[in-house]
Amino acid sequence: MSKTPKTIKPKERDTIIQALSAGVVPRVGLPHIQVGRAAEIGALLRDVDRIADGGATVRFVIGDYGAGKTFFANLIRLIALERKCVTVHADLGPDRRIHASGGQARALYSEAVRNMATRTKPEGGALAAVVERLVTDAVKEGGERQLPVEKVIDEKLAPIQEFVGGYDFATVLKAYWRGSEASNEELKLASLRWLRGEFTTKTEANKALGVRTIIDDDSVYDSLKSLACLTKVAGYAGLLVMFDEMVNIYKLQNAQARKSNFEQILRIVNDALQGNTSHIGFVMCGTPQFLMDTRRGLFSYEALQSRLAENQFATKSLVDLSGPVINLQSLTPEDLLVLLTNIRMVFAGGDPAKYLVPEEALTAFMAHCDRRIGEAYFRTPRTTVKAFVQLLSVLEQNPSAKWQDLLGDVQVPPDQGGQEDLATDGGAQPGGDDELTSFRLGT
């Protein structure tokens, strides 16, 4: 359980603590609190390598409320960035779906592209940097080869034009280059707006950029494939697309709407498994109900059930991580002890000499939680971790206080957020899955 002390930057330390105290998964600093999951991480790393080699992947990260879907996905996203991939991510919700006819699919795409990240811009908003890199490289290459820059750009964008809607995609990228050459910020901004799916009418897009199409509900998946091609020609390894809160598809009351989303997911699965696309990977996080419910889940669609069914030989303690589905198990008490130890280290800034509480305080705190809410304290640990962070915060700000005196006052109520996963009314809001209860930290 012990780790080699590693200094934690004050900004990173504060970001982690603020996120944990609010009950959400921090966007940075995950390696400081992550433990275990070597096999699952290894499987996703092989996916990232496959994307870089020109392949395509699709994964469904499935787990109960509190099993660690969001934490796992965020960790993989950071690793993919280190492997020179570009990532986009978004949460599904009532106003964001994979397939729709009222703008919800375009809204999902727009949110994902706004969250585009690279290794140098991990916080998102990296679309302009990716396009700018393409233009800069083209100008440099044109000078080296003594060719017009436009000809070099045409050569680079040729692969994109092979995709559905790729011609207009390439036209918009060339418009960005023209805007860059002429210092026309309005043209550059219009190009980025089109790439983000922010144009709502074809007339507006035609007037601004001279293209006759826009990214709408019907072209979201094709646009993501074109975007993956863009990342590759711009010098990156490929594109990793991450969708969380997939349970919102399960919650849809309209059977036809669910079926349409399932058909789009089937298209993504078929393309990835059959090698029909390249340099793109999908990671979708959802609950067991979203996957296995034969009335409303993915398994209600026979074609998806046959492709996503579990390996019949992977029983008991045996696992198979080669298929599209990765099942995450619940947190164990041992995992939680390691997590609390890591949080203690974060508070200390990586210096064991600055620990706010001794080792026995961790086990005493866990015993206190066990008496209050039973085994739920490690199966859905959001409130447990939140209470522990609050305890350390008080001790940090009040050096004279003793943890033994404070422990009896710590309130750890049962977390009821997981009930949202079972709600199927159309007005249900996305929530639980993306919260801190998503922690699943291995042994």
Side-chain angles (χ1 to χ4, degrees), residues 146-333:
Q146 295 184 340
L147 291 174
V149 176
E150 185 170 3
K151 180 175 178 60
V152 176
I153 290 181
D154 285 336
E155 291 177 358
K156 287 181 171 291
L157 298 182
I160 296 180
Q161 299 186 40
E162 297 177 4
F163 292 95
V164 175
Y167 179 81
D168 281 344
F169 213 92
T171 300
V172 170
L173 290 171
K174 287 182 65 176
Y176 183 94
W177 166 71
R178 291 197 306 272
S180 181
E181 287 288 292
S183 298
N184 186 337
E185 294 299 322
E186 185 176 346
L187 184 57
K188 291 170 63 177
L189 180 60
S191 301
L192 294 177
R193 284 187 58 216
W194 190 95
L195 293 170
R196 286 194 296 260
E198 295 177 357
F199 278 102
T200 56
T201 66
K202 296 178 181 178
T203 301
E204 183 185 11
N206 189 25
K207 181 179 179 181
L209 297 165
V211 294
R212 297 183 178 182
T213 64
I214 59 173
I215 296 174
D216 55 18
D217 287 337
D218 294 331
S219 60
V220 163
Y221 177 47
D222 291 317
S223 297
L224 286 173
K225 291 193 290 186
S226 296
L227 206 60
C229 187
L230 165 62
T231 64
K232 183 60 181 177
V233 299
Y236 297 90
L239 181 70
L240 183 63
V241 182
M242 314 193 81
F243 292 146
D244 203 351
E245 302 285 2
M246 296 293 290
V247 71
N248 279 283
I249 294 179
Y250 166 84
K251 291 179 181 180
L252 290 174
Q253 285 187 318
N254 187 286
Q256 183 57 45
R258 289 197 306 274
K259 181 180 178 182
S260 297
N261 277 268
F262 294 158
E263 288 174 346
Q264 190 69 290
I265 293 174
L266 176 63
R267 184 183 171 200
I268 294 172
V269 170
N270 285 341
D271 281 354
L273 298 182
Q274 296 173 359
N276 293 335
T277 189
S278 61
H279 296 292
I280 189 170
F282 287 84
V283 177
M284 307 183 198
C285 303
T287 61
Q289 292 82 10
F290 157 71
L291 175 70
M292 295 183 291
D293 191 301
T294 56
R295 188 172 64 91
R296 307 175 69 99
L298 291 182
F299 280 12
S300 67
Y301 199 77
E302 186 175 349
L304 282 171
Q305 182 176 8
S306 66
R307 288 159 175 78
L308 304 180
E310 191 173 344
N311 187 331
Q312 60 180 331
F313 296 103
T315 58
K316 298 180 181 178
S317 61
L318 303 177
V319 296
D320 176 21
L321 299 176
S322 64
V325 176
I326 291 183
N327 288 293
L328 301 183
Q329 303 303 314
S330 296
L331 192 67
T332 67

Side-chain angles (χ1 to χ4, degrees), residues 18-147:
Q18 287 175 2
L20 297 184
S21 64
V24 297
V25 177
R27 293 292 186 186
V28 298
L30 297 186
H32 295 303
I33 54 178
Q34 185 270 338
V35 294
R37 287 223 165 276
E40 291 88 346
I41 291 174
L44 269 294
L45 283 178
R46 288 190 291 274
D47 285 358
V48 172
D49 290 338
R50 191 176 300 123
I51 294 170
D53 289 338
T57 66
V58 60
R59 291 283 187 171
F60 296 86
V61 179
I62 303 298
D64 286 317
Y65 184 80
K69 299 178 291 297
T70 300
F71 183 92
F72 183 75
N74 284 350
L75 183 63
I76 296 303
R77 185 178 69 85
L78 294 179
I79 294 174
L81 294 178
E82 289 300 316
R83 296 291 183 95
K84 299 183 179 180
C85 278
V86 176
T87 68
V88 296
H89 67 275
D91 293 348
L92 272 71
D95 59 340
R96 298 184 198 139
R97 305 176 196 165
I98 291 179
H99 181 277
S101 57
Q104 296 93 335
R106 184 174 62 83
L108 178 70
Y109 171 89
S110 295
E111 177 66 15
V113 177
R114 277 193 293 270
N115 290 328
M116 178 180 285
T118 62
R119 184 166 56 176
T120 56
K121 292 183 68 70
E123 297 301 317
L127 176 62
V130 172
V131 178
E132 195 66 43
R133 179 171 172 175
L134 170 68
V135 171
T136 302
D137 288 349
V139 172
K140 181 180 178 181
E141 186 176 335
E144 293 174 348
R145 297 171 57 190
Q146 295 184 340
L147 291 174

Side-chain angles (χ1 to χ4, degrees), residues 10-24:
K11 180 180 179 181
E12 197 171 28
R13 170 193 180 276
D14 293 344
T15 300
I16 296 172
I17 292 173
Q18 287 175 2
L20 297 184
S21 64
V24 297

Side-chain angles (χ1 to χ4, degrees), residues 13 344 347-348 352 354-358 391-393 395-396 403:
R13 170 193 180 276
R344 180 180 64 162
F347 264 88
K354 296 181 180 179
Y355 283 161
L356 294 171
V357 294
L391 172 64
L392 294 186
S393 295
L395 291 172
E396 183 179 46
W403 67 266

